[in-house]
Amino acid sequence: MSWPTLPLRRIFRVVNGGTPTSDDGNWGGDIPWATPVDVGAAASSTWLSTTQRTLTVAGAVSGSRIVPERSILLSTRAPIGYVAQTKVPMAFNQGCRALVAARPVDARFFVYQLASMTQQLQARGQGTTFLELSSEALAAAEVTVPPVDEQRRISDFLDGETSRIDKLMDLRSRQRDTIRIRQGVYAERVLGQCSSGEWTRVKYLLRARPRYGVLVPTFEDDGVPFIRVNDLVDLPGRASGLARIPAALSDRYARTITMPGDILLSVVGTLGRAAIVPDELAGANVARAVCSLRLRPDVDPGLFVAWIATSEFERQAVLATGSDSAQPTLGMEDLSNFSVRWPTDSKEQGRAAGEVEKGRQSHTELVRRTDRQLALLAERRQALITAAVTGRLDVTTARPTHDRDL
């Protein structure tokens, strides 16, 4: 099928957002106020109706803009490319831009199309500190524009098909979470069966006090490898892809320069993500949200990381930080005083570490397979959207997707 292509400015009016002052009279009203985080959270369902923060009418008038329902919100920095449709009138900040239809359209079709254009939109971004997609660059982006009836037909098709894929992805994600929980339960059982196990505080297993990492990083291409929370997943082999900070800045935070065998633990926001520093990351440094733990020579690092995955660690972390905190932060003194049932017999510790490692390898393989399935489903979803919105897939004759086909 051949459809015309037009710049977005021919179909939509581009509206910029903003942030009111911190005056109490501007906040806590009835008007949703979207940020890229809100848009990203709604991206899978494509609809956005509630936000983390709200504005009063005064706040919206003085520092933001309100767009009507069924407008399109697109994150245009940090990152570029989250997209959703507003279900209610909504204000938004300067990290987003809105598209308000200037002619009859099915906005769902353009939400799907913009979602398929993420890389193109990111390529249009400019900036040094972070990339931002300007109003002009967004308005100039070209999209395919089929007749409205065809837009509606394609949107109805994609609503059904992506919903099926999303349900299966949700199932796989929950299976992955269950596997990780089982890994922690297994480690907890192994530790509990150690006859020489005695309750001790974490600080007595360490050679030095745990420390937070670099507070405000600056980056340079040839600097010291810099490890952040997301890097703790599958840390070995990541050295070439890490961000880097100036050596002088790393030296200022010498207390968290890493050595092989150190334990890195996320302690701000996402709590309990842990990794052992591999040989290739000796001399790296860590972000403020990551703390560095240097164990005594007689403490097995693999067994220690396994304990972090247990419900006992989680229970103590919740007590220390509060389960309702939006940005929980685990204090170093609290962490030092956590209790762990640790084997005092070195041979028993070694046997326990071996058992935990066997279990870890089995669980890791299951997680790897599940992640691969999730990646394939995400690819299938993206390919289906791209084919439908560009006319390469005729939705009037397309065979419905069933779970067994995925």
Side-chain angles (χ1 to χ4, degrees):
M1 285 173 281
S2 178
W3 298 323
T5 60
L6 295 172
L8 279 168
R9 68 165 63 91
R10 296 279 300 276
I11 313 158
F12 296 95
R13 178 168 54 91
V14 178
V15 181
N16 297 326
T19 300
T21 66
S22 58
D23 186 279
D24 289 344
N26 291 332
W27 299 92
D30 297 326
I31 301 170
W33 181 73
T35 68
V37 172
D38 297 305
V39 180
S44 61
S45 67
T46 73
W47 285 100
L48 178 59
S49 57
T50 60
T51 56
Q52 293 181 0
R53 302 187 69 186
T54 60
L55 300 180
T56 62
V57 172
V61 170
S62 66
S64 188
R65 299 285 294 277
I66 300 176
V67 292
E69 60 183 293
R70 296 186 180 276
S71 299
I72 297 172
L73 283 185
L74 179 76
S75 66
T76 51
R77 69 183 188 195
I80 296 171
Y82 291 154
V83 60
Q85 185 178 180
T86 62
K87 212 167 189 176
V88 296
M90 189 169 295
F92 52 100
N93 80 346
Q94 60 273 21
C96 304
R97 304 194 195 283
L99 298 174
V100 179
R103 54 191 276 186
V105 296
D106 188 318
R108 294 175 300 162
F109 175 83
F110 292 97
V111 168
Y112 281 121
Q113 187 168 181
L114 288 167
S116 74
M117 295 170 56
T118 300
Q119 291 185 344
Q120 299 174 46
L121 295 173
Q122 289 174 346
R124 289 173 171 266
Q126 295 182 330
T128 53
T129 305
F130 52 78
L131 291 180
E132 180 170 12
L133 181 65
S134 68
S135 297
E136 295 76 16
L138 176 59
E142 293 197 340
V143 291
T144 56
V145 188
V148 176
D149 287 346
E150 188 68 16
Q151 295 175 25
R152 189 173 298 114
R153 186 159 40 246
I154 292 170
S155 298
D156 289 343
F157 170 82
L158 288 174
D159 283 350
E161 297 306 293
T162 58
S163 176
R164 291 185 180 93
I165 296 174
D166 290 342
K167 287 178 181 176
L168 191 53
M169 291 180 70
D170 180 65
L171 174 63
R172 293 288 181 265
S173 294
R174 285 187 279 115
Q175 288 174 337
R176 180 183 58 188
D177 293 341
T178 300
I179 293 167
R180 287 175 172 155
I181 291 171
R182 285 172 56 192
Q183 182 174 340
V185 170
Y186 181 76
E188 197 159 16
R189 186 171 72 241
V190 170
L191 281 166
Q193 290 173 345
C194 292
S195 60
S196 68
E198 294 184 359
W199 287 100
T200 186
R201 297 191 187 280
V202 164
K203 61 185 175 184
Y204 298 125
L205 302 178
L206 306 178
R207 284 195 283 175
R209 296 178 62 187
R211 301 285 188 178
Y212 290 117
V214 178
L215 178 58
V216 183
T218 56
F219 301 100
E220 64 176 33
D221 292 340
D222 298 322
V224 174
F226 186 64
I227 302 169
R228 293 174 282 193
V229 170
N230 288 340
D231 299 320
L232 299 182
V233 179
D234 300 324
L235 184 60
R238 280 189 174 237
S240 61
L242 294 176
R244 292 175 178 267
I245 61 173
L249 176 60
S250 181
D251 290 342
R252 283 172 49 197
Y253 290 85
R255 62 186 183 275
T256 50
I257 292 176
T258 59
M259 291 177 54
D262 285 353
I263 306 300
L264 303 183
L265 174 67
S266 60
V267 291
V268 178
T270 301
L271 301 183
R273 188 174 289 174
I276 302 171
V277 175
D279 291 343
E280 65 267 23
L281 285 176
N285 216 316
V286 301
R288 177 71 171 180
V290 177
C291 81
S292 178
L293 303 168
R294 188 154 295 161
L295 303 176
R296 290 188 342 226
D298 60 331
V299 176
D300 185 275
L303 192 59
F304 190 86
V305 167
W307 166 71
I308 291 172
T310 65
S311 61
E312 179 57 36
F313 175 88
E314 180 182 6
R315 182 187 69 81
Q316 294 184 72
V318 168
L319 288 174
T321 62
S323 58
D324 297 328
S325 176
Q327 186 78 347
T329 300
L330 184 55
M332 297 298 93
E333 192 66 28
D334 288 327
L335 176 59
S336 295
N337 286 310
F338 277 13
S339 295
V340 53
R341 193 173 187 274
W342 196 257
T344 57
D345 182 87
S346 59
K347 291 183 178 179
E348 188 170 40
Q349 184 184 153
R351 286 195 298 271
E355 286 185 47
V356 166
E357 177 59 20
K358 288 180 182 177
R360 187 197 67 79
Q361 290 178 2
S362 175
H363 289 109
T364 298
E365 176 60 20
L366 290 173
V367 169
R368 187 194 66 78
R369 293 179 183 179
T370 305
D371 285 343
R372 177 59 178 160
Q373 291 174 346
L374 282 165
L376 290 172
L377 286 166
E379 290 175 11
R380 175 65 177 270
R381 188 184 194 276
Q382 189 62 43
L384 184 68
I385 291 172
T386 301
V389 299
T390 57
R392 295 200 299 270
L393 174 65
D394 184 354
V395 303
T396 62
T397 59
R399 182 170 66 89
T401 300
H402 298 289
D403 290 352
R404 63 174 178 272
D405 301 320
L406 300 173

